[in-house]
Amino acid sequence: MSSVEPSASPVVASASAASRWGRWDSVLISLVAAAILYSNYLIFLVVPNERLMGPVQRIFYFHVGSAIAGYCASGVMLVAALAYLATRDRRADVVMEAGAEAGLVFSTIVMATGMIWGHSAWNTWFRFEPRLVTFLLLWLIFISFKVLRYFGDPARIPLHSAVLGILGALTVPLVVFSIHLLPQSQQLHPQVVGNRGLAPEFQYAMFVAMASIVALTFLLIWLRTRIGFLELQKELR
Amino acid sequence: METVPNTFPSLFWGYTILWVVLCVYIFSLGRRLRKLERDEHKQ
């Protein structure tokens, strides 16, 4: 079943709405930037050094926040993929691509910061254990999504992307629960259960960092969706 | 007296990579948007 091209009017309306919402961009960007700055202030000037790992432990705040952001982006990708499969509306494909791009950005950050932290703390860049391997799989799926967008059959890209997007989103629970497949003694990646062992000053900084990065994720998805709608409008003219 | 290990270089490179990746993506979005707006003005 081929994609159903939306008639020009709803797409033009969507793009126009996106343009009108652009006036709120500066407000949203300012709020998110302020949140990021505040979290950086907490991370670098308020929380103390971790006793065993020293300063490198501060990577933890944006490492965990970026992982949560990647999961949120996967959720957006999943919803948009399901919407595309149900309606074959190209606008859902635009949102799906926006979610996938944000997911790729933040999962790349997680991989990079995790490897640097792991090398510093445990002298190991990467290890084949459940959490790291499943997250690598998620990252590779995001990469595959972009490769598909560039090199896939143009007529089938949205459909194939939707299937790949659902597969990627289904990997997220695998990543989250993989940490429990082995006992802590057999894996380097920490098993975190609630806030056990985390001092209050660390908890607050972690919460603020996570909230600010997730806000940044949704802002980037929104901006990318707006760009996608404008490109779709231009294509349909 | 217990000393904290000096892992600042790792912290520096971790955050540098983080901000470089984010800035590259944000700038690429900005460039794409400006190109679209230019094309729209030309029409």
Side-chain angles (χ1 to χ4, degrees):
Chain A
M1 184 177 168
S2 58
S3 291
V4 173
E5 295 292 348
S7 63
S9 301
V11 175
V12 168
S14 299
S16 298
S19 300
R20 277 201 299 275
W21 270 96
R23 293 189 194 117
W24 288 96
D25 284 349
S26 56
V27 174
L28 289 172
I29 290 168
S30 300
L31 287 173
V32 171
I36 297 275
L37 282 172
Y38 179 56
S39 66
N40 275 285
Y41 161 73
L42 290 174
I43 290 166
F44 289 105
L45 296 176
V46 173
V47 294
N49 274 329
E50 200 274 340
R51 189 169 53 88
L52 294 174
M53 286 185 270
V56 75
Q57 183 272 342
R58 296 168 201 263
I59 285 179
F60 158 83
Y61 300 101
F62 276 171
H63 174 77
V64 173
S66 297
I68 304 295
Y71 301 157
C72 292
S74 299
V76 169
M77 186 173 67
L78 173 66
V79 171
L82 291 172
Y84 178 78
L85 289 178
T87 63
R88 300 305 164 107
D89 191 329
R90 292 273 307 272
R91 287 168 292 180
D93 179 56
V94 168
V95 177
M96 177 175 41
E97 187 172 11
E101 275 188 16
L104 176 59
V105 167
F106 287 99
S107 61
T108 301
I109 289 171
V110 171
M111 293 290 293
T113 53
M115 287 169 71
I116 290 171
W117 185 14
H119 178 71
S120 178
W122 302 293
N123 201 30
T124 305
W125 290 106
F126 186 84
R127 197 171 167 206
F128 286 92
E129 56 185 53
R131 170 55 66 87
L132 304 189
V133 169
T134 50
F135 200 90
L136 175 65
L137 175 64
L138 178 63
W139 182 71
L140 289 173
I141 289 174
F142 283 129
I143 296 270
S144 306
F145 191 100
K146 289 306 293 179
V147 171
L148 176 64
R149 299 303 290 201
Y150 279 119
F151 298 109
D153 175 3
R156 292 195 170 90
I157 281 176
L159 177 62
H160 292 172
S161 299
V163 173
L164 188 57
I166 291 169
L167 183 66
L170 290 177
T171 308
V172 170
L174 192 63
V175 174
V176 171
F177 293 109
S178 65
I179 200 69
H180 301 294
L181 288 176
L182 292 177
Q184 178 66 79
S185 58
Q186 293 182 29
Q187 49 186 334
L188 287 178
H189 194 286
Q191 280 179 338
V192 179
V193 180
N195 290 325
R196 190 180 64 187
L198 209 58
E201 59 268 27
F202 291 107
Q203 290 177 29
Y204 179 66
M206 188 173 94
F207 172 75
V208 172
M210 279 170 54
S212 63
I213 291 197
V214 169
L216 176 64
T217 304
F218 283 109
L219 176 65
L220 290 176
I221 290 174
W222 163 237
L223 293 175
R224 177 62 182 84
T225 299
R226 181 183 162 210
I227 289 170
F229 279 175
L230 290 173
E231 287 173 342
L232 187 58
Q233 179 191 23
K234 185 180 159 188
E235 185 185 323
L236 290 179
R237 275 195 189 137
Chain B
M1 182 177 151
E2 197 173 348
T3 54
V4 173
N6 179 21
T7 52
F8 182 75
S10 299
L11 176 68
F12 171 78
W13 285 112
Y15 272 92
T16 298
I17 289 171
L18 186 156
W19 289 113
V20 163
V21 169
L22 274 177
C23 288
V24 163
Y25 183 61
I26 290 169
F27 279 123
S28 74
L29 287 184
R31 197 176 61 185
R32 212 160 156 175
L33 186 59
R34 277 195 299 278
K35 182 176 181 300
L36 277 170
E37 287 170 349
R38 263 201 314 271
D39 291 345
E40 193 149 334
H41 282 126
K42 279 180 191 170
Q43 289 176 357

